[in-house]
Amino acid sequence: METFPDISARVEELRRTLAQHNYLYYVKDAPVIPDSEYDRLFRELQELEQQFPQLITPNSPTCRVGGAPQSEFSQVVHNLPMLSLNNALDAGEVSAFDTRVREMLRVDFVEYEVEPKYDGLAVSLRYESGQFMQGATRGDGFKGENVTNNLRTINSIPLQLKGSMVPNLVEVRGEVLMLKADFEKLNRVQLELGNKQFVNPRNAAAGSLRQLDARITASRKLSFFCYGIAECSTENLPQTQSGTLEMLEHLQFPVSKEREIVHGVSGLFSYYKKLLEKREILPYQIDGVVYKVNSIQSQEKLGFVARAPRFAIAHKFPAEEAMTMVQNIDVQVGRTGTLTPVARLVPVFVGGVTVSSATLHNEDEIRRKDVRIGDSVIVRRAGDVIPEIVGVVRELRPAHTVEFLMPEKCPVCNSLIKRVTGEAASRCLGGLFCAAQRKQALCHFVSRNAMDIDGLGEKIVEQLVDGNIVKTLADVYQLTIPMLEKLDRMAYKSAANVVEAIDNSKNTTLARFIYALGIRNVGESTAKELAKYFGKLERLMNADEETLRRVPDIGPIVAQSVVQFFMESHNRDVIDRIRRAGVAWPENELRPQDDKTTINGKVFVLTGTLPNITRDEARARIEALGGKVSSSVSKKTSYVIIGTDPGSKLVKAKELGIAILNEDGFLDLLQQ
Ligand code: IVH
């Protein structure tokens, strides 16, 4: 079929335009046209290629959707082997690396180029005359699999190199990975389709890249970052690793923004610390950082030992994931009767601590992950987040395991269990008859941000409930020194202290009291809103759902919980008894001051230890002036107040350009 010259010119133009927008979107993260316009151009190209198949080329943007499935991958022999890096597991090993490098180079100080260590899989991409010709996995380092068609579907991999500097031949090395957000999305889709869950982004990336049907790879949203050049025909190549990455960036390859040049071993340590703090907020998973001697000439002098370079080392982060075994699945009863299945694990060291149990949240979650007693599981503990089971290693499942079933009766009080319609939670219907709920309710009632009664720890509460000494919250105010003195872990002095703390707690605020009652779905900030809105407890107790819905941030669920709580005559009796025992608060608490203050309406985040005031004091002072305290930094944050060891919140605040104050600055602001 004859092609009109202007059609082939239009096809070329469309390919150039699409490639450019693809680059701006996926590599620069700065699209300039709406998605709908991109789709329109893409469809035009697809239609022209369908009409004039002689114009189809392997690197047309249309091949990114994947073509016909293959029966197997062919093998690729790597011209230059794909080596691995030596690992440094602690600071001593990093120091030893730097010493070795300095000694071999006979210098006092070394310049390093430093990068994240991507937790994905290594690939090699070969370009001839600027065209992407072949892509391969690492395999055993010498031979890998030809995954060219699959790599073509990765939007951030350029298919055609552009510009005057394009080498005749270039082989680029880098890592294919799945962004954390794409991984979560994929697992949500897998769940809806009833397919298996991937345990982590690395496994998902590996599983997606090695699909014989490239259309599946295309649907999985993989990303790519490059970290080096293996072979290149250009004569005057950059003389540094940083220059190499700049060259790759000019050729429109994706290169991490996190790379830096540092000096000496102290530079390496600061970079390690910085990225460790940033680890959580990076869009991809990293398992460490890589240090590379920056000068290529020095790299050549240092050479290789066995299968690893002497000029580079990977400094690993503490593992956030580990494998262990589920010994049992217990059911815990929470303050409001919610039953939480908890996996008891063979203790395992992960994320810097020993983990021996992990919550399984609810029945749906267990079903979704299909966790069974005897299973080998991957446990994850990232940052300060509570440990969770990310998945089961099905290959290691022993024979004859049985599925976990929620008990029909409460394991503590034998009352009936009800699965709430529309919710994942199952609940014990025993209420305060259930000792587990009573214990939790009591622990909550006395806790620091509630009635703040010091000295009534878990062990004491257990004895008070099990011994039927405290049957309702009101009984706390009947406790005497002789009653407490008899308990285990109590003596006269400690009993006297508790009685004094109980007495002191009688002088409280309405917000604290509402929070202390432990109404389902009423946390600290909701309690404050309610106190602020109603001013008097009686008004809150008599409010209907409609009135409650008028309170800022209160929706139908909270409104219903509040009404149900006060409908129970038992709860009203308890409140009455507590008040008769002398618990009181100033009625009609002061409302926040007007808008003239610098604090009113502002959102504060506190991080690190402040030298002179406690967090609770800081929070109280902010709230007294109408400000809010939030636990995480976002665009809505007005100020981040930092103390010593501020952590990742500081990094995030800097990234978002949020005002940062130390204690002095904060106190000045309060004065204003
Ligand atoms: S440079 C001579 N840089 O780590 C090896 N590798 O153990 C040159 N990796 O298979 C590799 N991030 O897949 C290099 N910034 C980075 C890296 C990186 C991850 C992987 C790579 C390699 C493994 C080496």
Side-chain angles (χ1 to χ4, degrees):
M1 200 195 307
E2 197 193 339
T3 328
F4 303 106
D6 51 343
I7 289 188
S8 101
R10 176 64 182 155
V11 165
E12 268 318 300
E13 189 191 5
L14 283 168
R15 286 182 185 153
R16 259 197 321 275
T17 315
L18 284 167
Q20 179 62 9
H21 289 305
N22 189 69
Y23 168 70
L24 291 172
Y25 188 98
Y26 288 102
V27 181
K28 301 301 277 183
D29 201 8
V32 292
I33 57 167
D35 290 0
S36 56
E37 177 61 7
Y38 183 92
D39 294 344
R40 197 184 62 73
L41 296 169
F42 193 88
R43 270 197 306 276
E44 186 185 340
L45 177 60
Q46 262 180 333
E47 279 160 21
L48 286 175
E49 286 182 352
Q50 235 166 37
Q51 239 179 310
F52 305 99
Q54 68 273 35
L55 292 180
I56 296 178
T57 55
N59 283 334
S60 170
T62 51
C63 70
R64 294 211 188 266
V65 293
Q70 289 169 263
S71 55
E72 58 173 7
F73 295 120
S74 59
Q75 255 189 5
V76 170
V77 176
H78 301 300
N79 252 3
L80 282 176
M82 293 181 75
L83 304 176
S84 48
L85 291 165
N86 284 326
N87 288 331
L89 298 177
D90 59 35
E93 291 178 4
V94 174
S95 262
F97 160 76
D98 174 67
T99 308
R100 224 165 29 239
V101 169
R102 282 189 289 109
E103 282 172 4
M104 284 189 71
L105 295 176
R106 295 173 195 281
V107 292
D108 293 330
F109 218 57
V110 181
E111 181 177 272
Y112 292 100
E113 192 275 339
V114 291
E115 305 165 15
K117 186 169 189 303
Y118 311 102
D119 199 3
L121 51 150
V123 293
S124 195
L125 312 175
R126 244 176 126 75
Y127 291 80
E128 289 170 21
S129 308
Q131 294 288 332
F132 176 49
M133 296 304 283
Q134 192 180 67
T137 58
R138 178 175 183 275
D140 62 5
F142 300 99
K143 272 191 246 123
E145 281 174 326
N146 184 339
V147 285
T148 314
N149 290 338
N150 297 10
L151 289 167
R152 281 204 176 100
T153 70
I154 301 181
N155 288 299
S156 53
I157 293 183
L159 300 174
Q160 253 172 306
L161 305 182
K162 291 195 322 190
S164 53
M165 284 169 45
V166 174
N168 270 333
L169 172 86
V170 61
E171 187 172 319
V172 173
R173 299 262 164 101
E175 197 94 346
V176 166
L177 46 83
M178 191 174 281
L179 300 184
K180 292 174 190 170
D182 290 329
F183 166 73
E184 316 247 303
K185 240 184 263 168
L186 170 62
N187 260 355
R188 275 202 299 276
V189 173
Q190 292 283 101
L191 180 67
E192 270 158 34
L193 298 177
N195 292 341
K196 76 162 189 165
Q197 298 278 288
F198 290 101
V199 284
N200 55 35
R202 211 199 92 83
N203 286 8
S208 305
L209 186 64
R210 296 190 61 259
Q211 290 286 334
L212 289 166
D213 186 347
R215 285 169 304 189
I216 299 182
T217 315
S219 72
R220 295 283 177 82
K221 296 264 166 295
L222 295 171
S223 298
F224 173 74
F225 285 96
C226 59
Y227 47 67
I229 293 181
E231 261 189 282
C232 188
S233 58
T234 307
E235 286 208 339
N236 296 316
L237 276 177
Q239 278 310 294
T240 52
Q241 165 69 9
S242 50
T244 307
L245 295 184
E246 257 165 51
M247 171 177 157
L248 287 167
E249 211 168 31
H250 277 127
L251 290 171
Q252 302 201 333
F253 282 98
V255 186
S256 170
K257 289 196 292 258
E258 310 303 328
R259 66 187 197 271
E260 280 181 33
I261 296 174
V262 302
H263 296 93
V265 74
S266 61
L268 300 181
F269 291 144
S270 338
Y271 182 69
Y272 177 87
K273 186 163 177 281
K274 182 166 147 189
L275 272 233
L276 189 57
E277 277 169 8
K278 251 186 145 174
R279 184 182 198 182
E280 254 340 269
I281 57 167
L282 286 179
Y284 44 82
Q285 285 198 338
I286 63 175
D287 57 346
V289 286
V290 184
Y291 309 141
K292 301 176 180 174
V293 172
N294 199 20
S295 148
I296 303 284
Q297 205 185 12
S298 304
Q299 287 192 1
E300 281 162 4
K301 253 193 232 163
L302 290 158
F304 296 82
V305 220
R307 289 176 63 182
R310 270 203 210 90
F311 55 80
I313 199 158
H315 191 180
K316 301 279 282 212
F317 288 157
E320 286 183 328
E321 281 178 12
M323 192 168 85
T324 184
M325 211 195 74
V326 178
Q327 286 177 310
N328 206 351
I329 299 179
D330 281 351
V331 176
Q332 278 181 353
V333 187
R335 174 164 63 81
T336 53
T338 311
L339 300 190
T340 311
V342 178
R344 304 293 173 202
L345 307 166
V346 174
V348 60
F349 192 72
V350 56
V353 297
T354 300
V355 171
S356 51
S357 57
T359 170
L360 288 163
H361 303 288
N362 54 53
E363 214 176 353
D364 288 352
E365 175 92 350
I366 300 195
R367 216 51 80 237
R368 185 163 73 78
K369 293 184 174 156
D370 190 18
V371 180
R372 301 183 188 185
I373 296 169
D375 266 338
S376 294
V377 290
I378 307 291
V379 176
R380 181 173 170 78
R381 183 184 180 272
D384 290 333
V385 182
I386 54 165
E388 60 162 352
I389 290 179
V390 289
V392 172
V393 186
R394 291 292 288 270
E395 295 74 14
L396 298 179
R397 171 167 289 170
H400 317 299
T401 52
V402 272
E403 261 184 67
F404 170 84
L405 288 177
M406 257 310 177
E408 283 170 8
K409 297 271 179 69
C410 171
V412 176
C413 71
N414 219 25
S415 300
L416 274 181
I417 302 286
K418 186 172 173 225
R419 170 110 188 222
V420 188
T421 21
E423 274 182 45
S426 303
R427 228 171 255 139
C428 157
L429 297 181
L432 290 184
F433 169 74
C434 176
Q437 290 186 55
R438 239 184 307 154
K439 283 176 197 169
Q440 304 265 347
L442 187 53
C443 282
H444 173 79
F445 185 76
V446 301
S447 66
R448 186 121 79 87
N449 297 335
M451 299 310 286
D452 192 18
I453 303 175
D454 216 15
L456 286 182
E458 220 175 286
K459 291 280 176 252
I460 306 295
V461 163
E462 237 165 58
Q463 298 178 64
L464 292 173
V465 171
D466 290 340
N468 258 339
I469 305 168
V470 172
K471 292 191 272 305
T472 77
L473 297 178
D475 294 338
V476 170
Y477 291 95
Q478 309 305 322
L479 290 173
T480 57
I481 298 177
M483 282 158 103
L484 288 163
E485 217 183 359
K486 286 195 211 102
L487 305 176
D488 274 357
R489 301 174 189 237
M490 273 279 172
Y492 177 80
K493 181 83 187 113
S494 42
N497 286 343
V498 170
V499 170
E500 193 186 334
I502 292 172
D503 215 39
N504 289 339
S505 79
K506 290 179 180 168
N507 201 349
T508 187
T509 65
L510 177 56
R512 271 177 180 273
F513 186 71
I514 296 171
Y515 174 61
L517 291 174
I519 305 168
R520 184 175 300 147
N521 301 313
V522 177
E524 232 186 315
S525 72
T526 308
K528 278 178 190 151
E529 289 296 339
L530 292 171
K532 209 165 25 161
Y533 190 88
F534 290 100
K536 271 176 163 306
L537 184 64
E538 286 69 22
R539 280 189 218 137
L540 171 66
M541 287 170 73
N542 298 328
D544 57 14
E545 285 186 30
E546 205 185 312
T547 315
L548 282 155
R549 293 284 299 277
R550 281 190 225 123
V551 183
D553 296 337
I554 285 183
I557 294 182
V558 177
Q560 198 188 27
S561 304
V562 173
V563 170
Q564 274 175 0
F565 183 89
F566 290 115
M567 242 161 46
E568 288 272 348
S569 61
H570 161 84
N571 288 335
R572 287 177 174 259
D573 286 348
V574 170
I575 291 172
D576 198 42
R577 279 184 57 211
I578 295 175
R579 294 182 86 176
R580 270 190 281 128
V583 172
W585 49 84
E587 293 283 4
N588 284 322
E589 277 174 36
L590 284 184
R591 288 171 178 267
Q593 293 174 10
D594 61 24
D595 275 324
K596 275 178 242 138
T597 72
T598 28
I599 310 283
N600 192 22
K602 300 280 179 355
V603 180
F604 288 73
V605 171
L606 302 162
T607 174
T609 317
L610 296 174
N612 298 305
I613 56 172
T614 66
R615 274 200 192 200
D616 282 352
E617 268 176 72
R619 172 191 282 264
R621 295 188 64 176
I622 292 167
E623 287 172 350
L625 293 168
K628 270 194 162 178
V629 177
S630 160
S631 58
S632 59
V633 179
S634 74
K635 274 186 269 174
K636 289 191 193 138
T637 310
S638 325
Y639 296 97
V640 172
I641 313 299
I642 56 159
T644 44
D645 295 323
S648 61
K649 288 182 189 160
L650 174 59
V651 180
K652 181 114 189 249
K654 282 186 181 161
E655 282 204 335
L656 295 175
I658 287 160
I660 296 165
L661 296 176
N662 60 12
E663 194 191 67
D664 281 347
F666 170 51
L667 294 175
D668 281 346
L669 191 74
L670 292 176
Q671 294 281 308
Q672 282 171 34

